[in-house]
Amino acid sequence: MTREQVPRAVSEILDDRPVRWAPGELLRGDFDGRERTLEIFMAGATEQRRLLRALRERRAELAEAAGGSIVFVFHTPAESIRLYAPFVAQFEAFTGGPSRTPVPVRVDVDLAELVATSGALLQGELDDELPLALRTDLRAA
Amino acid sequence: VVLAASGSNNAFFSGQITVSGEALVVASGVTLYGNNSYSSELVSVSGTNSAIIGPGTIDGRGDLISGTPRLIQAKSITNFVVYDVRLKYRYRGDRASGQADVVLDAAAAVEKLLAEGERTDAISPGVPRTISSQRSRRALMGPVVQLDAKARENLEAARVLLPDDDAGRWEYHPNASASRAYYAAYQAVAHVAQGEQVAFTSDKNYYRHDSLPGDALAWHILDVDRKEDLEWLQGLRVKADYLADHVDLEEASQAAEVAEQLVAELLGPEART
């Protein structure tokens, strides 16, 4: 396995959650393992430790490919959509979407304002750029 | 007491000196000479936190005095430090073989003690001529951080940054709480590692954060579940401090619980007031 293959390998173990190496531009400050920080998206607070344990059997292989100990950062579904929706959408479009059971996501948006400012969004013009979970939530709302 | 030079006056001539709970500093270029009046030892040391510090010289002038007095004798001492001092005795040759000139009891921490006596047994057995002691250096610099106390303080900080109905506390700061929870766990592990004399993994005197969970597993400080808990706390702390995310309350509350378990297992249950 190469370093570039690590995110996909982790994603497959974790029910196709979006995964990537943290872009250096998004990390403010320096810390040990900065260059080996792996982001895992759509991971609820109560399932993050379980997900980490699910990687246990592959950890040595992953660390070797990464070039050292990996720092695992989990993003909650709410923050994944609030802050990282374009990446999540891109990842899911590339992989064909999640195999995991969708989790309910609470997104704090003013729908009236969203409709007013992004009418085209709800009419489907940009549907393909949004993650499935968000599309579903907006339609349901 | 500092013996310092004044111009070309750089020597002190003295009978017996008693050092008890204080430091005798012989400054650079200065020599403290024993006169011919001391009969048991030139420098008698006792008490707590006494020290003899160089880089000057103590010269017993054994060639001048009669009898067989010692140069330094330290008894009933606690945390006695000898640092970077040069010792001379200069024998006349009438001293009984095997009797040391410098006698230090086990509580002495000797960083650097250079003896220039003409005999090889000038310093009591077990005290080589030049000794390097980390403990002595630390004693001179001041105390080292108590990581166990810091761990407990950070754990308490993690708690008070979360809401508590019973305490009537409604405001909360989950990013800061998660960060403190991680440091509580990190410091608890580091405390145990230090207690087991495990060398730092960074040349900057700390255990590297990214490798500590795996290292602690290898050192048998953590089992694999706790190792992964520490990794999870570490990732949460990175998110809290270096990324745009807001750690949510559920994550922060869980982090405080995990850190509390880890600290209790490593340091023992805390004494609650």
Side-chain angles (χ1 to χ4, degrees):
Chain A
M1 186 189 306
T2 66
R3 175 184 163 90
E4 290 68 33
Q5 291 170 325
V6 168
R8 188 74 194 118
V10 170
S11 176
E12 286 174 2
I13 298 169
L14 303 183
D15 305 323
D16 296 321
R17 283 175 171 76
V19 178
R20 70 178 178 187
W21 290 116
E25 311 91 276
L26 295 187
L27 298 168
R28 286 288 178 264
D30 197 12
F31 56 91
D32 293 337
R34 188 181 195 276
E35 69 283 6
R36 280 175 273 101
T37 299
L38 196 71
E39 295 180 284
I40 298 159
F41 297 82
M42 307 299 285
T46 57
E47 59 185 354
Q48 293 172 9
R49 289 164 68 206
R50 176 182 64 75
L51 295 175
L52 199 51
R53 280 157 173 62
L55 297 171
R56 185 178 290 177
E57 300 304 318
R58 303 281 302 276
R59 289 296 299 279
E61 182 188 0
L62 294 169
E64 185 179 354
S69 303
I70 296 173
V71 177
F72 293 92
V73 172
F74 292 94
H75 298 284
T76 62
E79 292 294 77
S80 295
I81 291 170
R82 185 177 74 89
L83 297 169
Y84 308 103
F87 167 73
V88 171
Q90 181 189 45
F91 188 94
E92 293 190 347
F94 181 76
T95 60
S99 62
R100 65 185 182 279
T101 305
V103 292
V105 179
R106 181 185 165 203
V107 183
D108 292 322
V109 295
D110 183 331
L111 275 180
E113 183 182 346
L114 185 64
V115 169
T117 57
S118 308
L121 185 101
L122 293 179
Q123 291 165 24
E125 291 183 31
L126 299 176
D127 259 11
D128 291 344
E129 295 183 14
L130 283 176
L132 179 60
L134 180 56
R135 293 203 300 270
T136 306
D137 279 8
L138 289 175
R139 288 196 178 110
Chain B
V1 177
V2 179
L3 305 183
S6 175
S8 60
N9 299 319
N10 59 1
F12 292 81
F13 198 51
S14 175
Q16 187 182 63
I17 294 174
T18 299
V19 176
S20 180
E22 59 204 341
L24 172 65
V25 179
V26 186
S28 176
V30 170
T31 301
L32 167 63
Y33 291 102
N35 64 22
N36 61 359
S37 71
Y38 71 97
S39 57
S40 52
E41 60 270 339
L42 177 57
V43 182
S44 172
V45 183
S46 62
T48 300
N49 297 329
S50 297
I52 298 175
I53 300 170
T57 301
I58 298 176
D59 184 345
R61 292 307 304 266
D63 53 332
L64 297 180
I65 60 174
S66 58
T68 57
R70 290 193 167 103
L71 195 57
I72 296 174
Q73 177 138 323
K75 283 186 173 179
S76 303
I77 51 174
T78 302
N79 195 33
F80 172 51
V81 172
V82 182
Y83 179 71
D84 198 16
V85 65
R86 183 173 296 272
L87 304 178
K88 292 184 179 179
Y89 195 92
R90 292 198 252 183
Y91 282 95
R92 267 193 316 197
D94 58 354
R95 192 178 174 86
S97 176
Q99 187 173 7
D101 298 329
V102 179
V103 176
L104 307 173
D105 84 5
V110 182
E111 169 67 16
K112 191 168 158 188
L113 191 157
L114 300 175
E116 294 185 350
E118 294 168 5
R119 296 173 359 168
T120 55
D121 59 349
I123 300 174
S124 57
V127 183
R129 285 170 176 249
T130 301
I131 298 172
S132 189
S133 161
Q134 192 74 3
R135 187 166 74 90
S136 163
R137 181 180 292 279
R138 284 180 181 169
L140 286 167
M141 291 189 296
V144 175
V145 61
Q146 297 297 306
L147 288 172
D148 54 341
K150 297 286 186 187
R152 292 194 193 282
E153 182 178 345
N154 274 314
L155 183 58
E156 185 59 23
R159 290 189 190 116
V160 302
L161 289 164
L162 295 173
D164 184 340
D165 289 352
D166 295 337
R169 190 170 60 241
W170 314 112
E171 287 189 9
Y172 54 89
H173 306 278
N175 288 323
S177 176
S179 185
R180 290 306 95 195
Y182 166 68
Y183 273 102
Y186 171 88
Q187 287 166 333
V189 173
H191 174 77
V192 174
Q194 284 281 277
E196 296 180 2
Q197 310 285 316
V198 177
F200 290 121
T201 51
S202 162
D203 58 8
K204 294 178 181 171
N205 271 11
Y206 73 100
Y207 298 107
R208 281 186 64 94
H209 292 263
D210 54 345
S211 62
L212 185 62
D215 292 339
L217 178 67
W219 300 332
H220 305 291
I221 292 173
L222 298 178
D223 64 21
V224 68
D225 284 342
R226 288 295 179 226
K227 172 242 185 192
E228 288 167 354
D229 285 345
L230 183 62
E231 286 177 325
W232 177 71
L233 288 170
Q234 180 190 16
L236 196 61
R237 180 258 167 174
V238 166
K239 183 167 76 168
D241 290 347
Y242 298 103
L243 284 165
D245 299 52
H246 294 306
V247 170
D248 79 19
L249 186 54
E250 197 169 4
E251 288 178 303
S253 299
Q254 192 182 160
E257 289 174 16
V258 169
E260 184 171 352
Q261 291 167 3
L262 223 152
V263 168
E265 287 175 14
L266 293 172
L267 306 181
E270 62 192 309
R272 287 189 180 274
T273 55

